Amino acid sequence: MDFRLLGRVGAATGAEELQLGPVKRRSVLAALLLKANSAVPVEQLIAALWDDAPPTHARTVVQGHVSRLRALLASAGAGEHGVGLMTQGPSYVFEVPETLLDTCRFERLARRGRLRQRPADAVAVLGEALALWHGPALDGTAPSAPLRAAAQTLEEARLDVVESLAVAHERLGDRAGAVAVLQAEAAAHPLCESLAEALILALYRAGRRSDALDRYHRVRCLLADELGVGPGPGLRGAYETALRGGPVGAGGGGPVSPLPAPGAGPAPVPDARYEADARYEMAGRYEADARYEMAGRYEADALLLAPAGRPPAPAGPAPRLLPRGVRGFLGRGTELAALDRITGAGDGAVALVTGPAGVGKTALALQWAHHRQARYPGGTLFADLRGFGGVPVEPAETVREFLIALGVPARDLPDSSAAAAALYRELTARRALLVVLDNARGTDQVRSLLPSGTGSAVLVTSRIRLSGLIVEELARPVPLDVLGPVPATELLAAAVGEERVAAEPEAADRLARLCDGLPLALRITAAQLAARPHWRLADLAAELADEQRRLALLSLDEAEESGVAAALRITVQGLPPEAVRLFALLGVVPGPDLERYAAAALLGRDPTVAAEALDRLAGAHLVTEYAPGRYSTHDLVRLYARGLGTDEGALLRLLDGYTATALAASLAAEPGEKPCCTLPREAPADAPVRTFADRSAALRWYAVERENLAAAVTAARAAGHDDRAWRLAVLQWPYVVWSVRDGWAPLLEQALEASRLLDDPDAESRVRALLGWVLTREGQLSEALAQLELAPALAARAHDPSSEAIALVNLAVALDADGITDASLRHVTRAVRLAREAQDVLTELLALQHRTHQLLARGDIAAAERCTAYALALDDHGVTTGLGALRRAALRLSRSEALLALGEREAAESCTRQALAEAASQGFQEGVNRARSQLEALGRPVDLPAAPKGGDRPVRS
């Protein structure tokens, strides 16, 4: 098992990535892992999730995310790796061996690398440490102050290792390696003086004195422009060393052409240009020229010349058809580097940039192409294929334009498309070309435009997944997603001015979130602000917060159909009918995601049809498959879908699909229990329902779907479907039992209100019994009794003896919290009788379990022993898992207590060992702990492993 903070926060077991879900849950995991094996108070987790004032229900939200993390860890077998998420008073402790956490491995490798005496060993170990990084630290988490500070600390530690690695390269004599290590980092951190200082000295030692001086002036100007400060002593010292040609210390060695030894003749006079630089520097008048690019811009590196072996450029000027690039391009370093890797492989490489409408695919392609076209002396060809918007361009038309650009006179162009394509292949075989094909809708638009020379490269952009291009031409995809919170805010600042954003940082963050990180939406927002200089950012954020107006505001000119809504409309056009219909229904989905069974319920079709429709929507980047088989939508896409109008029965079909599946999950989770409800009378009997292989599969489904089910309850109540609302809440009872102290009360209170409006005593009794039990386990006894005292009579009105028996037991449990009472004894006695008359063995076991507890507490040991003997002799039809097994384990433990009190030590030990085995097999940690304690009291060894970690398994339902 592996946990990662050095890059996108994540966890994996073997080759399987754990699906952590939303940003806040990922942030909770990050906050816990940052203080692994230490107690983290809930208040610190709240601070990590919300940068501004947290909502009133913040504690409940945190508890919910902790619960779902526990379920996820349990399903992944985390306990086998020594991993567990424990509650410790008002805090949580994430127990994890240091070897499983990448930050701990990074620290250990960094320490070892710095201690290595042999440079080659130091290079290897420090390189291994840096290889653990896969992006910015804590990527994918909330932009809160605590997490930003932690990420900055980790980044500083990484930069320290980078500098140590550069020193190790120099000790090894690999000066070019030292430069390479530092150059990329200095470009990514242009204001870091220690990196700039190290790079200047490394460049100088490698004989690149001019580059070293250029680097200094670039950094000096940036410091002045961005921070209003001058270079520090270290940076100035590095500059003076390079300028004067002086000796260098750390790292050893001087420049490639060392200074003459003393007495060998006069030292060379420094170049007059650099002397002038020094004079300007002293006078404070040195200005960087236009070649010093803005900080954060993508820089062309020193490899702009075509590699050896590529075909020579033809005589005459090479075509350069690239349009002007996008101004204010920021970030996307990972994607730009991916394009470098793909095209650097040669052999006619094809890179495919895909992503949703408005995400900046064209901007990325032009940014990369403008800085890399010098690699291709044969020229640069560009075509907007208009696959989305306008009339798509025919491939033959583009071939003719390319032939003219390559020097073929218009009068000599072949008449037929096939002949033109053949001539294009012949001409491109002798050139090293860069071909950029923008806005492609299908592989057929692209295929005939691919150059035939192996020295060429092709860059294709598309809103859809061009699987044919990937299969036929081995195109390498470069997916482009929306911007994260920080780059999104930086884009706003670049467009409207840093001063305006700095004056309202919280409003800028909110605007970035409301724009969903979509560059098109961010640029339109910036245009709105530029057109209204008197508006505050908070004013526009308040306008965009209105979901009814948001898409209209994110449109610049309706006549030209420009904006987010228009881009989405064009993307949807041309999709298959079922995919279009499903897209229009996405606005109905109340939860954060869906899978094929939920989609099938929406459509009223078979799950295989729904899966195909989802795949087509994912291929068009209208939904995102963030985990195998699970799809989410961005907020702006959901808003657009919601405005398309929808099938009025779609929500009801979805609710019935969830209800039927939840019923199937409850039966799989607790096969011996009587169903707590049936489907609504008018619900379709043939609704698509997922099947569950076993209890673990059912519990995993509950954990994954918890947010969707909660949202479905809220949506059902809002739409007046109260008969679905209470069922969707109560049918989660097996998972409630698994994680009782996990903030279930708000959901059950909604269900209670729904049941009261229906005037359904059966529904109301079940909700009150479950809600009262949850409140009892949370320690809210007065609130619990207010619910539980009403539940038995309601169940009696509904003529359901099993439901009444459970309600009576739960009421007795709450009453007995302050000591056994005569009233609670009567309740349990009646519960036993009701369950026996109903021939409900598992409910009778529940009542007898608490009856035994009462007898032991009152000191009636003989009666307790007789009660357990009777209970354990009951025939529960072979139920060996779930609550039946847990109740038997609890009864055996009570029987062991009674036998021990009666002096029957051997029988007590045998009974305890049986209970320990049952509890351990079911993950019943409370039972395991009780059994261990009883064996220790008997002075006997404990030879069974502890139950898997992942939560306290209660025994009452």
Side-chain angles (χ1 to χ4, degrees):
M1 201 162 194
D2 181 48
F3 294 91
R4 299 185 303 277
L5 297 176
L6 305 180
R8 185 168 181 80
V9 172
T13 174
E16 183 179 355
E17 187 75 15
L18 301 189
Q19 303 307 320
L20 298 178
V23 168
K24 283 188 168 53
R25 192 173 311 149
R26 200 178 296 272
S27 303
V28 169
L29 177 62
L32 291 168
L33 289 174
L34 285 167
K35 296 187 176 180
N37 303 309
S38 301
V40 182
V42 174
E43 288 72 17
Q44 289 187 16
L45 296 177
I46 291 173
L49 297 193
W50 289 277
D51 216 12
D52 46 8
T56 54
H57 62 289
R59 183 176 293 269
T60 300
V61 172
V62 169
Q63 290 171 342
H65 287 305
V66 169
S67 169
R68 286 183 280 283
L69 285 173
R70 280 177 171 158
L72 188 63
L73 291 169
S75 67
E80 300 172 7
H81 302 275
V83 175
L85 178 48
M86 317 303 293
T87 302
Q88 191 177 98
S91 304
Y92 295 105
V93 179
F94 199 104
E95 296 179 347
V96 56
E98 290 188 353
T99 55
L100 303 185
L101 187 54
D102 63 352
T103 51
C104 295
R105 297 201 302 275
F106 172 74
E107 291 173 5
R108 187 173 62 253
L109 287 168
R111 198 162 46 246
R112 283 171 46 196
R114 292 189 180 102
L115 294 175
R116 287 290 187 268
Q117 296 299 316
R118 297 179 62 242
D121 293 344
V123 167
V125 176
L126 292 172
E128 186 181 351
L130 291 172
L132 294 172
W133 286 73
H134 301 284
L138 308 186
D139 187 26
T141 60
S144 62
L147 292 181
R148 285 199 303 267
Q152 180 62 30
T153 299
L154 289 169
E155 177 64 8
E156 289 171 359
R158 187 184 71 85
L159 293 179
D160 286 343
V161 174
V162 168
E163 294 182 28
S164 297
L165 178 59
V167 171
H169 272 291
E170 293 214 22
R171 287 171 52 207
L172 191 61
D174 181 9
R175 290 166 175 158
V179 170
V181 165
L182 293 167
Q183 204 156 28
E185 297 299 338
H189 301 81
L191 297 176
C192 179
E193 291 195 47
S194 63
L195 273 177
E197 176 187 343
L199 177 56
I200 289 168
L201 291 174
L203 287 167
Y204 169 61
R205 285 191 286 262
R208 296 170 59 182
R209 186 185 189 207
S210 176
D211 291 338
L213 296 170
D214 281 352
R215 173 64 59 175
Y216 170 76
H217 290 304
R218 185 189 299 265
V219 175
R220 189 196 65 77
C221 291
L222 282 173
L223 290 171
D225 293 344
E226 301 291 332
L227 305 179
V229 299
L235 188 56
R236 288 182 57 84
Y239 168 65
E240 290 170 3
T241 297
L243 180 64
R244 305 292 181 183
V248 292
V256 173
S257 300
L259 296 175
V269 177
D271 186 290
R273 179 165 62 93
Y274 297 124
E275 289 288 354
D277 282 352
R279 290 197 297 274
Y280 278 122
E281 177 69 26
M282 293 174 62
R285 294 193 299 272
Y286 183 90
E287 295 182 3
D289 59 31
R291 60 198 171 122
Y292 297 136
E293 297 174 323
M294 290 174 60
R297 289 285 185 93
Y298 184 59
E299 296 182 6
D301 62 21
L303 299 176
L304 292 178
L305 297 177
R310 281 193 170 163
R320 298 294 181 193
L321 302 187
L322 283 181
R324 179 174 174 272
V326 177
R327 292 190 61 192
F329 185 88
L330 293 170
R332 302 299 195 189
T334 300
E335 291 82 3
L336 292 165
L339 292 175
D340 273 341
R341 286 195 300 272
I342 294 169
T343 56
D347 199 23
V350 179
L352 173 61
V353 178
T354 62
V359 80
K361 300 180 293 295
T362 301
L364 174 74
L366 291 178
Q367 180 74 5
W368 182 86
H370 273 291
H371 286 88
R372 289 294 182 262
Q373 62 180 332
R375 290 181 173 179
Y376 303 94
T380 308
L381 303 176
F382 174 90
D384 179 0
L385 302 181
R386 297 202 297 272
F388 299 88
V391 179
V393 178
E394 290 296 326
E397 180 182 341
T398 306
V399 168
R400 291 173 65 86
E401 292 180 2
F402 282 1
L403 288 175
I404 292 173
L406 292 171
V408 179
R411 63 179 180 277
D412 295 336
L413 290 174
D415 293 331
S416 71
S417 298
L423 178 58
Y424 176 69
R425 289 193 298 273
E426 180 184 347
L427 291 179
T428 56
R430 302 192 300 272
R431 295 176 181 251
L433 287 164
L434 172 60
V435 180
V436 181
L437 304 174
D438 189 36
N439 205 10
R441 180 137 206 154
T443 303
D444 289 343
Q445 264 191 311
V446 172
R447 189 180 292 110
S448 61
L449 303 177
L450 302 178
S452 57
T454 58
S456 296
V458 181
L459 180 53
V460 182
T461 74
S462 180
R463 295 184 191 180
I464 63 176
R465 187 174 51 211
L466 299 180
S467 301
L469 196 64
I470 296 172
V471 172
E472 297 170 15
E473 303 296 337
L474 300 181
R476 297 278 300 280
V478 180
L480 201 61
D481 204 351
V482 297
L483 297 173
V486 173
T489 305
E490 289 175 349
L491 180 57
L492 273 179
V496 304
E498 294 186 2
E499 299 82 2
R500 204 167 174 186
V501 168
E504 296 181 80
E506 293 181 1
D509 288 342
R510 190 180 182 204
L511 280 174
R513 290 195 299 271
L514 289 169
C515 290
D516 230 1
L518 191 70
L520 173 62
L522 290 164
R523 290 181 179 276
I524 292 174
T525 298
Q528 301 274 14
L529 290 168
R532 299 172 176 84
H534 58 286
W535 274 38
R536 297 179 305 122
L537 272 63
D539 296 331
L540 184 54
E543 294 287 322
L544 286 174
D546 182 356
E547 293 186 350
Q548 304 299 319
R549 299 191 60 218
R550 190 179 306 168
L551 287 174
L553 288 168
L554 294 177
S555 175
L556 283 177
D557 189 341
E558 293 184 5
E560 297 180 4
E561 293 191 333
S562 62
V564 175
L568 290 171
R569 180 171 61 255
I570 293 168
T571 304
V572 174
Q573 292 172 355
L575 289 174
E578 287 293 356
V580 174
R581 181 166 170 252
L582 178 58
F583 178 75
L585 296 174
L586 291 180
V588 172
V589 178
D593 62 7
L594 78 164
E595 39 74 70
R596 64 190 178 108
Y597 284 93
L602 277 174
L603 288 170
R605 298 292 304 275
D606 187 85
T608 56
V609 175
E612 173 64 22
L614 281 169
D615 187 63
R616 296 303 294 264
L617 293 178
H621 296 92
L622 293 168
V623 299
T624 301
E625 189 178 13
Y626 72 91
R630 300 206 67 85
Y631 300 83
S632 63
T633 59
H634 290 300
D635 289 344
L636 293 177
V637 175
R638 190 185 295 251
L639 282 178
Y640 177 73
R642 194 176 295 165
L644 294 178
T646 185
D647 177 352
E648 291 184 359
L651 176 61
L652 193 58
R653 289 196 302 270
L654 178 64
L655 295 175
D656 285 342
Y658 277 140
T659 304
T661 307
L663 179 59
S666 70
L667 295 176
E670 304 299 344
E673 293 280 343
K674 294 180 65 176
C676 66
C677 66
T678 59
L679 294 175
R681 284 191 300 273
E682 61 277 15
D686 58 349
V689 178
R690 178 186 291 275
T691 57
F692 300 96
D694 52 28
R695 184 168 191 273
S696 296
L699 290 176
R700 282 196 300 272
W701 181 83
Y702 279 123
V704 170
E705 297 288 354
R706 178 174 176 178
E707 288 184 66
N708 287 323
L709 294 174
V713 170
T714 301
R717 294 235 50 231
H721 301 307
D722 292 310
D723 54 342
R724 273 72 172 177
W726 80 265
R727 284 178 167 85
L728 283 170
V730 171
L731 281 169
Q732 296 180 64
W733 73 265
Y735 192 57
V736 175
V737 169
W738 173 273
S739 53
V740 62
R741 299 182 186 88
D742 206 10
W744 293 101
L747 176 73
L748 293 172
E749 286 165 356
Q750 286 196 75
L752 178 58
E753 184 62 25
S755 67
R756 292 177 63 187
L757 288 173
L758 291 168
D759 193 22
D760 183 340
D762 177 58
E764 188 175 348
S765 69
R766 292 181 185 279
V767 177
R768 287 190 186 276
L770 185 56
L771 174 58
W773 181 69
V774 166
L775 293 170
T776 300
R777 294 301 295 257
E778 289 181 349
Q780 303 181 57
L781 291 179
S782 60
E783 294 86 347
L785 289 171
Q787 305 297 332
L788 294 169
E789 287 170 350
L790 299 174
L794 287 164
R797 277 180 55 199
H799 307 292
D800 190 327
S802 293
S803 179
E804 184 181 356
I806 291 173
L808 287 167
V809 172
N810 289 354
L811 174 58
V813 171
L815 290 170
D816 288 348
D818 294 325
I820 309 300
T821 64
D822 291 338
S824 71
L825 287 168
R826 289 194 298 272
H827 292 326
V828 175
T829 300
R830 176 169 171 74
V832 172
R833 185 172 66 254
L834 286 168
R836 190 174 300 160
E837 291 171 356
Q839 297 183 341
D840 184 351
V841 174
L842 290 180
T843 299
E844 186 178 358
L845 283 175
L846 171 67
L848 290 170
Q849 175 192 332
H850 193 63
R851 176 65 171 168
T852 304
H853 168 74
Q854 291 174 323
L855 293 170
L856 288 172
R858 285 208 159 187
D860 194 346
I861 306 302
E865 188 275 333
R866 291 193 300 273
C867 185
T868 56
Y870 169 80
L872 292 168
L874 288 174
D875 181 9
D876 60 359
H877 306 290
V879 175
T880 58
T881 62
L883 290 179
L886 299 188
R887 289 168 187 164
R888 287 188 172 280
L891 281 162
R892 290 191 199 282
L893 290 169
S894 296
R895 179 169 179 76
S896 174
E897 288 184 37
L899 290 171
L900 182 59
L902 293 171
E904 300 182 31
R905 295 177 64 86
E906 290 186 5
E909 180 184 351
S910 174
C911 195
T912 303
R913 291 196 180 280
Q914 283 182 277
L916 177 57
E918 288 175 338
S921 70
Q922 297 299 305
F924 178 27
Q925 190 63 41
E926 180 182 320
V928 169
N929 294 340
R930 281 184 59 193
R932 287 176 176 277
S933 297
Q934 288 178 209
L935 286 174
E936 290 170 0
L938 286 164
R940 295 292 189 263
V942 180
D943 53 6
L944 284 178
K949 295 179 181 177
D952 176 19
R953 290 293 311 277
V955 296
R956 301 184 180 91
S957 64

